[in-house]
Amino acid sequence: MVISDPIEAAEALAELMRGKKTLAITGAGISTDSGLPDYRGQGTTEKPSIEYDMFVDDPVWQRWVWQRNHETWRVFNSLEPSPGHKAIARLEKAGLISGVATQNIDGLHTKAGTNNVWKLHGSFAHARCLACERVIPREEYATELDELNPGWPQYDRDPAVLATADREDAEASNFKVAPCSACGGLMKPAVVFFGEGLPSDDMDAAMRAATEADVALVVGSSLVVNTGMWITRQAWATGSPLAIINYGPTAADGIVDLRIDAGASETLEALADLLGA
């Protein structure tokens, strides 16, 4: 059964979650109300992104990745949590959600006040040295980049979560990349690139939470990306009922117990109100 009315969906979810411990697994769809595009929805690019090995091996790609990142990172920094993010934080505070395993790199769950957030694909809010593993706030690294690239223009275009492999544009870039101020190593956005390993601490914690959960709730993800599907399957394999809030089909529709084709914010707000969060 697929429910498309947010209030009806919230009532069904409340029945499933009341008195139980739920793990939330979130994707891009929960952040659309904050102004971010759903990268599998309309308007997404078909161009491939720069992969990890490409970035590590080629200074041309390094300049291009950091140029695109620097042009758009403030978009992420200025975003505010959606009503859906805030509802999840309310549900966690009420003891109904044990935490959030998120595929998103926007940091909006933390901004909304959720404490247990496992960032499966890293964070746009930090930069990391590939040599000494030092992690610093993106704002701190922005100061270093601004000193090397004074007056660099900020572009009003889609945020570059992962820079696309536009070789001609990359070769034309004269953007200067700041080395690690501690060891001189190569700095990289603390976002997981294709071909790069996932953050083991966050993945392990999310897997444990999935094993211990009474209910799994997927929000705003088609689960085509394996990361979210691994966590979802782990919860399902332990016998937890599975609920999904997402516009359109998902990779887990064959095992779902409650399928909701409605807006994440509307449904989660109504759910939090029903459960007294």
Side-chain angles (χ1 to χ4, degrees), residues 168-185:
E168 184 177 349
D169 288 344
E171 288 180 344
S173 173
N174 61 357
F175 193 81
K176 296 179 177 63
V177 178
C180 174
S181 58
C183 75

Side-chain angles (χ1 to χ4, degrees), residues 181-219:
S181 58
C183 75
L186 175 62
M187 296 295 291
K188 175 188 166 295
V191 176
V192 175
F193 284 25
F194 291 108
E196 183 179 8
L198 297 169
S200 58
D201 289 348
D202 287 76
M203 282 297 297
D204 289 347
M207 282 291 191
R208 284 195 300 271
T211 302
E212 296 167 359
D214 300 315
V215 178
L217 173 61
V218 175
V219 182

Side-chain angles (χ1 to χ4, degrees), residues 1-21:
M1 179 179 66
V2 178
I3 302 175
S4 56
D5 178 74
I7 303 302
E8 183 184 348
E11 291 170 350
L13 267 177
E15 188 68 25
L16 191 67
M17 291 173 55
R18 190 173 281 112
K20 296 177 182 176
K21 181 167 57 178

